[in-house]
Amino acid sequence: MSKTKRILTWCPNWASRSKGGRWRKYIDGKGYYFGEGKSKNYLKAYRKAERNYFDFLSKREATAPVEVECSRATVADICEKYLQELEDRYNRSEITAAYVEQARCCLQDFADKIGFQKRFSCIGELDLADYRGHTLNLPVSFSTGRKIRPATARDRLKTVRAVYRWAYKMYLIERLPRNIDDIAKIPNGSQPKVKVFTVEELAKLWKASTSRTRCYMALALNCGFGQTEISELRVGDINWTEGFIERERRKTGVRAKHKLWQRTLDLLRENGSYGGDSDSRVLLNENGAALVTSRIVNGRQKKSDAVKNGFFRVMRKLNIDGQRGFYSLRKTGATMIEQIDPTTTEMYLCHAENGMKKVYAQRDWERLGKALVAMEERLIAVML
C-alpha cells in the first residue's frame, strides 16, 4: 500500500475505542468519506473507496448545473442550460421524455446551423430569418437521410422561439429579436397532410395480425388510442359489464367515454388482465412489463414500444408503408367519425373544448356512442 499513489487521505476514527478508519477527500472545501478499512495498508478496502470516489465525481459532473455568463454565453451554453431545465421538469413529471428528446433534436439542428461556439447574444434577426428559410425548405435529416416533414420543421422553429423567450426571462439575453414572433409562423401550404389507412389495407393488416396486435388495433380504431394510452390503460378505466372505457387522457387532461365494440371487449378479455386492483395495467408485454416505456438517461431518451414494433412487423410483412405508422390508426378512426358525425370528432379524439362551453355544458356521450356503432358497421367485415 505504501507504494500506491494515494488519491484519498487516511483518517483514523476519532473515538479511542474504535478501530480502523476511513478514507477522506476534500472537494470544494467540504470533506467526503468514501469507505472504511481496518488499516491504511489494507489495499482491497482502499480500492473500493477509490471506486466510490470516482463514481461520486461522475454523478456530480452529470448533475452539476451549467453556469452561463450572459456576455460570453455561446449557443451551446444556452441550449445545454435550457435542456437541463427541461430535464428538471421531466424529473418532476411535468413533461414527458419524448418532449425532452424532441427539444434536444431541434436544438441540435439549430446549433449545427448557427454554430455551437457563436455567442448567443450576437445572433441577429437576419440569422434567424436565414435559419427559418433553411428549415422551411425541409432539409435532409442527419438521422434518417430523408427530407424532414413539415411538422418537424414547425417543431424546430417553435423550439427556437421557446429558447429565446426562456433566455430572455432568465436574463441571459438583454432583448428579444424583433422577428421572434414570426419565426414559427408556418405557411398554409406547409401544413401536414392526414395520412390514413384504407378499409382494404385495414382488412389485410387485421388478417395478418396476431390476437394481441388485433387488440391494439381495435383500441386505436374504437377509442382513438395511441401506443402510450394503450400501455397506460388500467383495469378501473373499463366497465366490463356495460362495455365502455371512461378515463382522463393524460396529454390533455380531458375525460372521455368510448363505447366498446363487442370485438374490442372480447380481445381485451382474451389478451388482458382484469382480475387485479383497479390501478393495474390491463395489457403488459411478454415479460410482464409495460408495453411502452420512456425515460431520460444521461440526457438521451431511452424508449421501448412493443405496440409500435408489433404493428410495424405486420406492415413490413405486407409491404404497406406510405410513411404511416400505428398512430395513423387513430387518424383513420377520426376521419371515419368526421364523415359519420362531425360534432363528435373532438369527443372521440379527447380534445379540449374551446371557449366557455367546457365549463357549462356536459358532452353528449350517447351521440359519440351512436357514431361508434355506425363506425363498427363500416368495419364489421374487416374484423372477422
Side-chain angles (χ1 to χ4, degrees):
M1 182 67 185
S2 59
K3 297 181 180 180
T4 303
K5 183 178 179 181
R6 302 186 184 186
I7 301 174
L8 308 176
T9 302
W10 172 256
C11 178
N13 284 326
W14 63 269
S16 60
R17 290 177 295 178
S18 301
K19 297 181 180 180
R22 296 179 290 179
W23 279 280
R24 181 180 63 192
K25 183 75 173 179
Y26 276 96
I27 303 172
D28 296 335
K30 295 181 180 180
Y32 294 85
Y33 296 96
F34 296 98
E36 299 180 352
K38 297 178 180 178
S39 73
K40 63 180 179 181
N41 296 319
Y42 188 25
L43 182 60
K44 184 176 180 180
Y46 174 80
R47 290 303 186 198
K48 182 178 179 180
E50 197 176 50
R51 287 195 299 272
N52 292 338
Y53 168 66
F54 288 132
D55 289 342
F56 171 82
L57 290 182
S58 177
K59 293 177 181 178
R60 187 170 182 265
E61 182 179 358
T63 58
V66 179
E67 299 295 335
V68 179
E69 187 178 343
C70 180
S71 60
R72 298 183 179 181
T74 64
V75 172
D77 291 333
I78 297 294
C79 292
E80 186 175 357
K81 186 66 177 177
Y82 179 74
L83 289 173
Q84 191 173 63
E85 176 83 7
L86 293 186
E87 284 191 38
D88 289 342
R89 291 179 60 193
Y90 162 74
N91 291 331
R92 296 193 298 268
S93 300
E94 295 176 2
I95 56 177
T96 64
Y99 185 92
V100 179
E101 178 67 9
Q102 177 184 312
R104 188 195 64 80
C105 293
C106 292
L107 293 180
Q108 175 78 34
D109 176 78
F110 176 68
D112 282 336
K113 179 64 177 175
I114 297 295
F116 283 89
Q117 298 307 315
K118 185 171 182 176
R119 290 193 180 184
F120 195 80
S121 59
C122 294
I123 301 174
E125 283 79 1
L126 288 177
D127 295 314
L128 289 178
D130 289 342
Y131 178 72
R132 181 176 185 272
H134 161 78
T135 305
L136 291 180
N137 284 330
L138 306 182
V140 174
S141 170
F142 291 110
S143 58
T144 64
R146 300 191 300 268
K147 280 192 171 186
I148 64 173
R149 298 175 300 153
T152 304
R154 179 190 59 204
D155 291 338
R156 288 182 177 182
L157 296 175
K158 284 186 175 181
T159 301
V160 171
R161 183 178 63 185
V163 168
Y164 263 93
R165 289 177 173 171
W166 171 83
Y168 182 70
K169 289 180 181 179
M170 296 293 107
Y171 292 96
L172 297 176
I173 53 176
E174 296 181 356
R175 71 175 188 89
L176 287 172
R178 296 186 179 185
N179 59 345
I180 192 63
D181 291 329
D182 299 328
I183 189 173
K185 290 182 179 179
I186 308 297
N188 292 333
S190 300
Q191 296 299 323
K193 296 181 179 179
V194 179
K195 296 179 179 179
V196 300
F197 293 104
T198 64
V199 174
E200 292 75 17
E201 287 174 329
L202 289 176
K204 292 179 181 179
L205 289 165
W206 187 270
K207 185 177 180 180
S209 297
T210 63
S211 174
R212 177 164 280 268
T213 303
R214 287 179 178 180
C215 183
Y216 305 152
M217 290 180 63
L219 286 170
L221 292 168
N222 190 167
C223 307
F225 284 178
Q227 300 100 284
T228 302
E229 290 166 307
I230 292 173
S231 176
E232 293 181 348
L233 184 63
R234 310 288 174 169
V235 173
D237 297 333
I238 305 176
N239 186 318
W240 300 93
T241 305
E242 298 183 23
F244 62 82
I245 293 178
E246 186 172 6
R247 66 191 298 223
E248 186 177 285
R249 191 181 181 209
R250 179 182 175 185
K251 185 176 181 179
T252 59
V254 176
R255 197 153 192 85
K257 185 176 180 180
H258 293 88
K259 177 65 179 176
L260 293 176
W261 303 329
Q262 187 59 48
R263 192 72 179 104
T264 307
L265 198 57
D266 292 341
L267 287 166
L268 278 170
R269 288 196 176 104
E270 182 179 341
N271 297 280
S273 174
Y274 49 90
D277 60 86
S278 61
D279 199 45
S280 299
R281 294 177 188 264
V282 177
L283 298 165
L284 299 169
N285 65 16
E286 296 177 352
N287 300 319
L291 295 172
V292 179
T293 61
S294 180
R295 62 191 189 279
I296 297 295
V297 179
N298 296 327
R300 302 295 295 270
Q301 183 188 23
K302 298 293 183 181
K303 184 177 182 180
S304 64
D305 192 334
V307 179
K308 181 185 74 173
N309 293 340
F311 187 71
F312 176 75
R313 286 192 291 270
V314 179
M315 290 186 63
R316 184 172 57 184
K317 177 181 177 182
L318 298 174
N319 198 26
I320 297 176
D321 52 73
Q323 295 185 352
R324 293 164 297 178
F326 185 84
Y327 212 72
S328 292
L329 292 171
R330 170 178 163 87
K331 297 177 182 179
T332 303
T335 301
M336 289 186 174
I337 291 292
E338 181 74 11
Q339 294 169 351
I340 296 168
D341 186 352
T343 64
T344 62
T345 306
E346 298 296 333
M347 286 189 283
Y348 171 82
L349 292 171
C350 201
H351 286 169
E353 289 278 7
N354 295 323
M356 295 302 294
K357 181 180 177 181
K358 60 185 177 183
V359 179
Y360 288 98
Q362 292 184 351
R363 290 189 161 185
D364 189 354
W365 300 117
E366 290 186 8
R367 188 160 187 163
L368 174 60
K370 292 177 182 178
L372 288 172
V373 170
M375 183 178 169
E376 181 183 20
E377 294 174 354
R378 292 190 179 188
L379 296 174
I380 194 69
V382 171
M383 298 182 175
L384 295 177

